[in-house]
Amino acid sequence: MIKLLAKLFIVNPDDTENPAVHEKYGVICGGFGVFLNVLLFVFKLFAGIAAASVAVTADAFNNLSDAGSSIITIIGFKFSSKAPDSEHPFGHGRLEYISGLIVSFLIILAGVELLKSSVNAVLHPEPVESGLLPVLVLFVSILIKFYMYVYNHSISKKINSAAMEATARDSLSDTVSTFVVLASMLITHFVDTSVPLDGIAGSVVAVFIVISGITAARDTINPLLGSTPLPEFVKDIEEEVIKHEPVLGVHDLVVHDYGPGRTMISLHAEVPGDINIFELHDVIDNAESDMEKRFNCIVTIHMDPIDLKNDEVTSLRELVSSEVVLIDSGITVHDLRIVPGRTHTNVIFDIVKPLSCRQSDEYIRETISARVKDVRPECICVINIDHPFV
């Protein structure tokens, strides 16, 4: 259904990097979600009243809150697509994350309210009337909610949307919770037991809903705080830059995410120091242009010249590189240069210390300096320690 709606209402639906396409997918999925959730609410409410089941009735109102969440998601997609203005030069893309966060809070609230009513049903149980209609409604609801999970999850991956993934997680938790309600109703019907299964099932449903809300909140908070880009994306960026000869390497890569379709990338590209600066500038311009087209982003590349024909620099670079990995295999070296003098030679370079490295910056400086000095007594290391953003 979503594919059909996308073909009908979206021009070039496969161009998911286009903010307009991104928005339309969000609106279509959200609108379809409102329709299905309202439909489920009506049928479940009728079934819950007929069966006198607090679990079924609570599950119905959970679907009503899901409809409200879908409306918030639609609003978030609409506002996030607004163009940049004087007050928000980076656009409004992060509003999508905020809408996803609001949805997650509503999910948690629904779970807490359901837990209250379910605990009350455990403490003060009432007989539950199971029948063909409530069972059929719950079974159909499970199928519909699982379908909603599948299409929301699929579209969230397609357009890289945290808000859509939050909606998908909510649908999956609803699938599980409704299954629990159905199971408790069937057990109560076929097994004569004094255990308040209806209230217990409602409590289990509530726990699933709260966990789903917390997970969704975490997934939307991460991009708001600034999360690490996917390793695959980092690899694609590096490969795209390296293919522009004579670029030799990439470091100091930073990816700023201001919402879907609004990514800013900055990095340092290592280039040979003996090539005409105008030729190198043209290469970097081409690299920036190609990256902007491929990743739909804004790119700034800084050139770092490397002296490839100086045997002294090459020797010291190899020495330092071999020593740093003895401290931590993840440490890398870049921008090494030498400043010779009458009494000593300064070896100036940067190292990138991975966040997983437990050694202090001072320990790393002292250790590398001592090891280099053992081999090259005339050398004094001047070390700047960088911390990665990817």
Side-chain angles (χ1 to χ4, degrees), residues 41-54 56-58 60-61 129 134:
F41 165 71
V42 172
F43 283 108
K44 279 187 183 179
L45 181 62
F46 180 75
I49 293 173
S53 170
V54 64
V56 177
T57 303
F61 279 96
E129 297 293 334

Side-chain angles (χ1 to χ4, degrees), residues 158-169:
K158 186 181 183 71
I159 67 175
N160 189 26
S161 170
M164 193 70 69
E165 183 62 23
T167 303
R169 288 182 184 275

Side-chain angles (χ1 to χ4, degrees), residues 89-164:
F90 299 109
H92 302 79
R94 285 182 176 174
L95 283 173
E96 180 183 326
Y97 302 143
I98 295 174
S99 71
L101 187 60
I102 294 173
V103 168
S104 66
F105 286 156
L106 291 176
I107 295 171
I108 295 172
L109 179 61
V112 171
E113 291 300 320
L114 173 57
L115 185 59
K116 289 179 182 179
S117 59
S118 299
V119 170
N120 183 65
V122 172
L123 297 176
H124 309 286
E126 295 181 2
V128 176
E129 297 293 334
S130 60
L132 180 60
L133 178 60
V135 170
L136 184 61
V137 168
L138 291 178
F139 179 73
V140 172
S141 173
I142 290 171
L143 297 180
I144 292 175
K145 274 296 179 179
F146 185 72
Y147 166 67
M148 292 176 69
Y149 162 73
V150 170
Y151 81 70
N152 278 308
H153 179 69
S154 174
I155 298 300
S156 77
K157 296 301 180 184
K158 186 181 183 71
I159 67 175
N160 189 26
S161 170
M164 193 70 69

Side-chain angles (χ1 to χ4, degrees), residues 91-354:
H92 302 79
R94 285 182 176 174
L95 283 173
E96 180 183 326
Y97 302 143
I98 295 174
S99 71
L101 187 60
I102 294 173
V103 168
S104 66
F105 286 156
L106 291 176
I107 295 171
I108 295 172
L109 179 61
V112 171
E113 291 300 320
L114 173 57
L115 185 59
K116 289 179 182 179
S117 59
S118 299
V119 170
N120 183 65
V122 172
L123 297 176
H124 309 286
E126 295 181 2
V128 176
E129 297 293 334
S130 60
L132 180 60
L133 178 60
V135 170
L136 184 61
V137 168
L138 291 178
F139 179 73
V140 172
S141 173
I142 290 171
L143 297 180
I144 292 175
K145 274 296 179 179
F146 185 72
Y147 166 67
M148 292 176 69
Y149 162 73
V150 170
Y151 81 70
N152 278 308
H153 179 69
S154 174
I155 298 300
S156 77
K157 296 301 180 184
K158 186 181 183 71
I159 67 175
N160 189 26
S161 170
M164 193 70 69
E165 183 62 23
T167 303
R169 288 182 184 275
D170 184 34
S171 297
L172 183 60
S173 71
D174 287 348
T175 303
V176 176
S177 61
T178 304
F179 176 81
V180 172
V181 173
L182 176 60
S184 71
M185 180 175 288
L186 292 175
I187 292 173
T188 302
H189 179 74
F190 291 106
V191 179
D192 185 14
T193 175
S194 59
V195 178
L197 287 179
D198 186 54
I200 293 174
S203 299
V204 173
V205 169
V207 171
F208 271 113
I209 292 173
V210 171
I211 291 174
S212 174
I214 293 173
T215 303
R218 181 198 63 198
D219 291 345
T220 52
I221 288 173
N222 283 341
L224 285 172
L225 292 177
S227 57
T228 303
L230 294 174
E232 297 82 4
F233 185 50
V234 173
K235 183 179 179 181
D236 288 343
I237 291 173
E238 293 174 345
E239 289 178 349
E240 180 65 34
V241 178
I242 293 294
K243 77 178 187 182
H244 290 80
E245 297 181 355
V247 176
L248 303 170
V250 173
H251 59 265
D252 290 348
L253 171 62
V254 181
V255 178
H256 302 276
D257 181 5
Y258 292 97
R262 293 171 177 82
T263 302
M264 299 183 69
I265 299 173
S266 64
L267 59 91
H268 289 209
E270 298 171 349
V271 295
D274 59 344
I275 297 180
N276 183 280
I277 187 66
F278 293 101
E279 294 179 13
L280 290 175
H281 190 272
D282 186 57
V283 171
I284 296 302
D285 276 350
N286 290 335
E288 289 176 339
S289 177
D290 290 346
M291 288 180 64
E292 289 176 357
K293 292 176 183 176
R294 177 176 175 183
F295 302 118
N296 189 32
C297 61
I298 299 173
V299 183
T300 302
I301 300 178
H302 170 79
M303 289 189 296
D304 278 337
I306 298 178
D307 192 350
L308 297 176
K309 296 183 178 181
N310 188 318
D311 293 338
E312 180 74 1
V313 171
T314 301
S315 174
L316 284 168
R317 184 185 301 112
E318 292 174 352
L319 172 60
V320 172
S321 297
S322 65
E323 293 296 333
V324 295
V325 295
L326 299 177
I327 299 174
D328 190 294
S329 60
I331 295 178
T332 58
V333 179
H334 62 84
D335 287 349
L336 187 143
R337 57 198 183 279
I338 61 173
V339 181
R342 288 192 304 169
T343 60
H344 66 274
T345 296
N346 281 336
V347 183
I348 307 169
F349 57 91
D350 294 356
I351 70 168
V352 179
K353 171 188 170 184

